[in-house]
Every structure is written in structure tokens, then in C-alpha cells.
Amino acid sequence: MLIDYKIVRHSLILKVGSELDHHEARKIKSVTDIVFRKGTARNIILDFSQTEFMDSAGIGMIISRYKETDLHGGKLCIVNPGKTVEKLIKISGLHSLVYEFRTMEEALAYV
């Protein structure tokens, strides 16, 4: 499982790859489950700066990670989504669940 992630001040930061499909969504879910089980984070920040494609599995993963962060009293943030990902976030209604930021610094300052 190769997911680029780190924990900064109770926030799990995950760098999403170029495609957020079923396989990538499962990897992200697995990492977040492990980190939340350890109790080292309560927020999730998804860095979409390299993501060019996202399908319904990505949308489902975001919804499930929103529920997980909400359960732990945290927030789910999305950083730097490209036009394609941003369009899917708006069309799917995810924009009402997540906080969107242009930079990682803005997201970390918010949480």
C-alpha cells in the first residue's frame, strides 16, 4: 500500500494520486481507518493537486471519510482540486460536506 501521508497537529494529510478510482479509494480508506484507530488524528485533509480523474468510488470514499471525521469531532478538507474534481464535488453535493481550500497552509490554519 503506497499512500503518501503524514500527520500534522491532529490532521491526517493524504496526497491523492493522479486518479481516484476504486483501488485508490480503498487504499485511502485503509490508511484513515488505521490512523483513526490509533487516535492520532481527527481531521482529514485530502490534497488533490495531482488528481486529474475521480469516479464514483472517489465520491463514495469522500462521503465515508466525512462520516468518520464527523464521528471523531473533526473536519474533512479538500486542498487544490483541479477543475474536473471541483466540478464533481459541486455536482455530487459534496461541497456541502467538505471544506475546500486552495493551499495546504489555509487548510491547516482552519483545522
Side-chain angles (χ1 to χ4, degrees), residues 14-62:
L14 294 137
K15 191 164 208 74
V16 181
S18 62
E19 295 185 2
L20 181 49
D21 57 12
H22 174 72
H23 299 291
E24 190 76 7
R26 280 192 334 181
K27 291 178 190 177
I28 291 171
K29 182 184 179 314
S30 180
V31 169
T32 58
D33 286 347
I34 291 167
V35 170
F36 277 123
R37 219 174 297 131
K38 290 181 181 179
T40 54
R42 69 173 172 262
N43 304 303
I44 297 175
I45 301 173
L46 298 171
D47 181 354
F48 279 94
S49 58
Q50 297 178 352
T51 310
E52 298 172 7
F53 172 81
M54 181 171 78
D55 64 13
S56 60
I59 293 169
M61 182 276 298
I62 292 171

Side-chain angles (χ1 to χ4, degrees), residues 54 58-59 62-63 88-98:
M54 181 171 78
I59 293 169
I62 292 171
I63 292 169
L88 283 171
I89 289 168
K90 287 186 176 152
I91 289 171
S92 65
L94 289 175
H95 66 282
S96 64
L97 301 178
V98 301

